[in-house]
Amino acid sequence: MKPKRKQRLILVSLMVAGVALAVTFGLIAFNQNIMLFQSPSDVAAGNMEAGQRFRIGGMVVDGSVQRRDTNLDVQFSLTDHASTVPVTYNGILPDLFREGQGIVALGKLDDKGVFVASEVLAKHDENYMPPEVAEALEKAGKMPGTAANYGNTTLVQP
Amino acid sequence: MFKWIHRFGSPPFVYRLSGRIAPVLGVLCLILMLTGLYLGLVVAPADYEQGDSYRIIFVHVPAAWMSMFVYVVMAVSSAIFLIWKMKLADIVAQASAPIGASFTFIALMSGSLWGKPMWGTWWVWDARLTSELLLLFLYLGYIALRNAIEHPQLAARTAAILAVVGVVNIPIIHFSVDWWNTLHQPATITKFDKPSMHPSMLKPLLIMVVAFQLLYFYNLLVRVRSGILQREKRAAWVAKELEN
Amino acid sequence: MESIAQFFSMGGYALYVWPAFFITFLVLIGNVWFGAREHRIALRDAKRRAVQVKSSQE
């Protein structure tokens, strides 16, 4: 390779490496802010103050959903299999909301440690199959990730 | 070997070759696209959880995949242009930018139309969605830079630097769902794992991915031919080529 | 007839599925069209120049 081209090659490589390094440090510094939601464990650890707006993500505990007949009030519990946080919400829930489903709620904690949500979003997993197949897998107890798959460890870490 | 590579740097050779290949790619793409649409919209069953709304995946995933693929092509050819001063590499990068921007727009638009019924929101500022939006701005920035700078050579070099540096965003998009908590689900098809999709749904998806890929190459070749003509219109070979 | 209506209703998600496909193909076809137009213009310009060069040589 001609020296001039080699020089340019090194220059271009250094440029990319430099930017990559800067971006990496930036992302590490803002790691907490990039997280879309906190886990129930984070809340249990007392990282969140009452009245502070944030998002919480977890799985809707089986059998915890209580609805009212008269209005849209809903109560349920969110868990990451380490800690559980009670949630209340008034509004229309997304189609995918059900027990055992992963959801992300926006809101704040009240004085009693109940999360008052103003918005509830459903997370879905990366598995796609026809209903009959899902039924068969369910029967065989081989359903992959019955809840939304969170993929990373941040949710399950104690 | 070097002679062989050299031919691909020669505008007349590339102009003639792409003129011959492009129609073949176009026809193949059309066949696959129609097959994929039929299998995806008519034959494939509904999803157990998401019903028919999941069918958006058949345009969403191919577009998202291509938005990243085209960017890598653009960044690599920009680097080749910066280092070896190869004009053809610059033409490829310039031709790729609008195509990549369209794929990125499609990925964001279809994702939004999928997110509303399933997640319950059109948009959320999570790591995946935000980094994909940044990709759209990188494409638009590249196009804007080229148009804003009068001097063509300076414009080409400045835009190429932006394209090369911006490649840092690609791994961020890809791994965002693993590195951070996001609303977006992890990838369905990964190289090392068995895909978590039923074959009846996977087949149309893969066909659509190949069709989008062919569409890019078809479109790229046509645009590269125009780029060559624009820059070489004074060359003797162009006059000769156009005579017959 | 009913199955066609069923197909277009997309299980109640027609309002999301059809626009997604429609806009996608609108953008893709537009992309191909612009590429072809650009090529037509480039060809025309190059041809015009070739004719000019030829006439000036004669």
Side-chain angles (χ1 to χ4, degrees):
Chain A
M1 206 185 268
K2 286 187 188 150
K4 191 121 192 223
R5 287 178 188 168
K6 202 166 185 176
Q7 221 176 4
R8 286 199 294 251
L9 175 67
I10 292 168
L11 194 71
V12 168
S13 314
L14 280 179
M15 224 157 47
V16 175
V19 171
L21 205 67
V23 170
T24 309
F25 283 137
L27 291 180
I28 290 170
F30 289 103
N31 194 34
Q32 262 313 298
N33 302 46
I34 301 168
M35 294 290 179
L36 181 72
F37 54 85
Q38 313 295 321
S39 66
S41 294
D42 291 331
V43 175
N47 293 343
M48 297 299 153
E49 285 168 37
Q52 181 191 356
R53 258 172 96 79
F54 67 98
R55 282 197 159 96
I56 185 171
M59 214 181 81
V60 181
V61 176
D62 269 327
S64 73
V65 179
Q66 291 172 15
R67 293 169 203 265
R68 296 267 177 77
D69 294 334
T70 46
N71 55 22
L72 288 169
D73 277 347
V74 188
Q75 272 179 43
F76 54 89
S77 299
L78 271 189
T79 183
D80 58 358
H81 302 300
S83 303
T84 305
V85 171
V87 180
T88 64
Y89 175 64
N90 176 285
I92 294 162
L93 291 161
D95 293 4
L96 279 184
F97 182 91
R98 60 195 68 150
E99 290 173 355
Q101 180 74 37
I103 67 129
V104 175
L106 172 70
K108 44 196 164 191
L109 288 170
D110 69 4
D111 307 333
K112 290 170 212 137
V114 176
F115 190 83
V116 183
S118 56
E119 180 191 56
V120 171
L121 305 176
K123 234 175 114 66
H124 63 77
D125 60 22
E126 73 281 26
N127 301 303
Y128 303 91
M129 61 188 99
E132 312 85 67
V133 176
E135 214 169 283
L137 282 179
E138 196 92 65
K139 252 182 211 157
K142 283 182 184 157
M143 195 66 169
T146 18
N149 192 340
Y150 283 88
N152 53 21
T153 48
T154 43
L155 257 179
V156 263
Q157 78 190 5
Chain B
M1 176 70 188
F2 266 108
K3 213 172 179 182
W4 188 78
I5 289 179
H6 223 79
R7 280 170 72 190
F8 278 91
S10 131
F13 175 75
V14 172
Y15 183 83
R16 285 184 204 120
L17 185 71
S18 49
R20 226 167 288 153
I21 297 176
V24 181
L25 294 183
V27 170
L28 266 177
C29 166
L30 201 66
I31 295 169
L32 283 181
M33 199 76 96
L34 293 175
T35 316
L37 280 178
Y38 175 71
L39 290 179
L41 287 172
V42 183
V43 178
D47 181 57
Y48 74 111
E49 241 189 349
Q50 306 188 37
D52 285 309
S53 75
Y54 93 100
R55 291 183 202 277
I56 294 176
I57 203 175
F58 297 125
V59 289
H60 176 74
V61 164
W65 154 247
M66 287 313 293
S67 73
M68 294 195 275
F69 178 87
V70 174
Y71 196 89
V72 172
V73 171
M74 197 170 99
V76 169
S77 38
S78 291
I80 292 174
F81 169 67
L82 285 175
I83 297 164
W84 284 278
K85 298 277 160 211
M86 197 171 144
K87 261 191 247 160
L88 207 62
D90 182 44
I91 297 178
V92 168
Q94 189 178 14
S96 293
I99 315 175
S102 330
F103 282 134
T104 314
F105 169 77
I106 292 171
L108 289 168
M109 174 275 301
S110 58
S112 191
L113 281 166
W114 191 4
K116 184 60 190 171
M118 287 302 109
W119 296 343
T121 182
W122 299 103
W123 182 265
V124 61
W125 291 100
D126 84 350
R128 171 56 75 80
L129 277 64
T130 310
S131 54
E132 182 75 11
L133 184 66
L134 184 65
L135 184 69
L136 181 64
F137 290 151
L138 279 171
Y139 278 121
L140 296 181
Y142 179 93
I143 296 168
L145 258 185
R146 287 204 85 120
N147 290 328
I149 301 173
E150 294 268 342
H151 188 47
Q153 259 170 334
L154 185 66
R157 228 179 309 145
T158 317
I161 291 173
L162 174 72
V164 168
V165 166
V167 83
V168 172
N169 190 32
I170 298 296
I172 296 179
I173 298 176
H174 183 78
F175 291 110
S176 54
V177 286
D178 301 328
W179 290 344
W180 299 290
N181 293 338
T182 57
L183 194 59
H184 198 285
Q185 66 282 7
T188 295
I189 310 162
T190 47
K191 243 188 224 151
F192 313 107
D193 255 340
K194 196 167 78 180
S196 31
M197 196 177 199
H198 193 263
S200 60
M201 304 161 163
L202 186 63
K203 205 165 75 182
L205 182 59
L206 293 179
I207 290 175
M208 288 303 273
V209 168
V210 176
F212 271 55
Q213 190 94 38
L214 286 173
L215 186 74
Y216 165 59
F217 283 124
Y218 166 75
N219 209 335
L220 177 70
L221 289 186
V222 173
R223 282 169 191 264
V224 162
R225 270 162 74 85
S226 337
I228 292 176
L229 277 184
Q230 278 162 13
R231 283 171 214 219
E232 302 258 321
K233 54 188 167 196
R234 285 176 197 85
W237 73 265
V238 171
K240 224 176 137 195
E241 180 80 24
L242 294 181
E243 251 174 35
N244 39 44
Chain C
M1 209 51 217
E2 199 176 290
S3 71
I4 290 175
Q6 208 172 24
F7 170 69
F8 281 106
S9 79
M10 274 290 148
Y13 293 114
L15 229 58
Y16 303 101
V17 175
W18 293 120
F21 278 81
F22 180 75
I23 300 172
T24 296
F25 284 95
L26 200 71
V27 172
L28 290 183
I29 291 167
N31 226 311
V32 170
W33 186 80
F34 272 110
R37 196 183 71 141
E38 200 185 48
H39 190 235
R40 256 199 326 272
I41 293 171
L43 260 180
R44 201 185 54 204
D45 286 356
K47 262 184 190 149
R48 197 176 292 160
R49 188 169 287 265
V51 170
Q52 270 171 12
V53 169
K54 212 174 177 189
S55 59
S56 68
Q57 276 167 349
E58 277 158 4

